[in-house]
Amino acid sequence: MTYETILYEKNRGVLTITLNRPDKLNALNDTMRYELLDAFQQAQADPDIRTIVVTGAGRGFCSGADLVAGSEPMTSDSSLPFGDLLRATYNRIILQMRALPKPIIAAVNGVAAGAGMSLALACDLRIASDSASFTQAFIKIGLVPDSGSTWLLPRLVGVTRAMELMLTGRRLSAQEALDLGIVNQVVPADQLPNIVSQLTQEFANAPTRTIGYIKQAVDFALENTLADALEKEADLQELAGKTSDHLEGVAAFLQKRQPHFTGR
Ligand code: LHQ
């Protein structure tokens, strides 16, 4: 598939998805949402892809839903009621990202607003440029936080802070987002690509299957009892124990050398 609104670049096991509507701070229109969904599906199916970076072109990461009526290519569903619109694309993107058994890193280069913030929250790690910012902008236009923000944000920052951010729409600096635990790291803007690239090279050489199991285990644990989480860990550990990367990890340890993980 050729994409119009995102860039899809594969390099040495790393897929970089760049949201590419810089004039609108990479607002999500119909085309972009379907392209993102397709890109994450490709990322899941392609065994050469071991990690995914999501970032934005220009000075924004993603400003959420495209609010400029009539500007969208009328490809499909922009006239749907909001509930159906969410079910048709946004919700599927978020579920696809959480179910994707590979690490997804948000390289948050600029403002992440509304569903754009949700998109960042649905990634596994967030590295922010010092010029990034975050806003639960929904309330400013009289909408409920969506695309997973109500589920993801309280889990990251606790209910007290999440409610404050959702009720006020206050725009957080990257440093505030770091202090609250929304991002993993804040780096100078000009170093963001290099620092993210170092990290993703590590992930491109990691025991990928096990990373998929870790995502599954943590998301499961957040919704279930300790007893159920222990059972899930046991199931997933059995699978992890059968990977060649586990055998390689143990062999490398015993031979006092660096492991060579293949993601199998
Ligand atoms: C934009 C946008 C944008 C279009 C900036 N659209 N053009 C789901 C389902 C159903 C319904 C709707 O919603 C959803 C999910 C959602 O995401 S709802 C929340 C939607 N997003 C927002 O409400 C955020 C709107 N944007 C803003 O509040 C600001 O632009 C932020 C805080 C993101 C950035 O502020 P600034 O850095 O001051 O930039 P700016 O406002 O000057 O924007 C730059 C340009 O980008 C500007 O265009 P222009 O032609 O004047 O230069 C904006 O109109 C355009 N833009 N966001 N979402």
Side-chain angles (χ1 to χ4, degrees):
M1 178 169 172
T2 320
Y3 298 121
E4 279 172 41
T5 62
I6 63 172
L7 306 177
Y8 183 98
E9 294 161 301
K10 265 168 61 174
N11 183 24
R12 293 189 299 160
V14 181
L15 168 65
T16 302
I17 298 174
T18 306
L19 309 177
N20 193 25
R21 303 181 72 218
D23 294 349
K24 289 172 176 284
L25 305 178
N26 306 313
L28 294 149
N29 63 4
D30 273 353
T31 309
M32 188 187 277
R33 294 194 302 270
Y34 280 106
E35 290 186 348
L36 265 181
L37 192 56
D38 189 79
F40 284 120
Q41 283 163 352
Q42 300 287 333
Q44 174 143 357
D46 184 343
D48 293 339
I49 296 172
R50 310 251 312 258
T51 182
I52 298 109
V53 177
V54 181
T55 193
R59 76 174 176 89
F61 174 74
C62 177
S63 58
D66 192 325
L67 297 177
V68 184
S71 71
E72 302 212 353
M74 300 298 280
T75 44
S76 49
D77 54 15
S78 44
S79 57
L80 287 176
F82 285 175
D84 291 342
L85 190 60
L86 286 166
R87 289 182 197 101
T89 52
Y90 293 88
N91 294 4
R92 291 171 62 203
I93 293 168
I94 300 301
L95 289 175
Q96 175 76 32
M97 290 170 76
R98 294 312 313 147
L100 213 159
K102 303 175 186 183
I104 309 178
I105 319 303
V108 188
N109 55 301
V111 63
M117 180 166 172
S118 305
L119 195 66
L121 299 181
C123 294
D124 299 304
L125 298 177
R126 283 157 291 283
I127 312 297
S129 133
D130 54 10
S131 57
S133 58
F134 296 82
T135 163
Q136 287 282 304
F138 309 91
I139 190 67
K140 305 253 181 186
I141 54 168
L143 290 182
V144 172
D146 64 28
S147 307
S149 267
T150 61
W151 195 92
L152 294 160
L153 192 58
R155 283 170 166 78
L156 293 176
V157 304
V159 176
T160 305
R161 294 290 184 204
M163 283 301 271
E164 178 195 329
L165 298 177
M166 293 190 288
L167 297 186
T168 64
R170 187 165 72 81
R171 192 165 170 178
L172 297 175
S173 67
Q175 184 58 47
E176 285 176 288
L178 180 68
D179 295 342
L180 285 178
I182 292 175
V183 302
N184 297 81
Q185 199 181 343
V186 177
V187 303
D190 60 349
Q191 289 173 33
L192 182 67
N194 275 345
I195 289 171
V196 169
S197 164
Q198 280 166 24
L199 185 67
T200 51
Q201 269 315 306
E202 277 178 39
F203 283 132
N205 295 296
T208 311
R209 281 199 182 182
T210 303
I211 290 181
Y213 298 145
I214 294 171
K215 284 182 70 162
Q216 231 188 90
V218 173
D219 280 2
F220 180 89
L222 286 168
E223 291 180 88
N224 288 280
T225 62
L226 173 60
D228 288 343
L230 288 164
E231 192 52 38
K232 184 76 171 175
E233 287 174 359
D235 286 346
L236 291 171
Q237 197 68 296
E238 187 158 333
L239 296 177
K242 289 179 180 154
T243 61
S244 11
D245 282 340
H246 167 59
L247 296 180
E248 166 60 9
V250 174
F253 173 76
L254 295 175
Q255 294 160 20
K256 299 191 188 303
R257 61 172 174 80
Q258 286 302 309
H260 174 69
F261 294 125
T262 59
R264 289 194 292 270

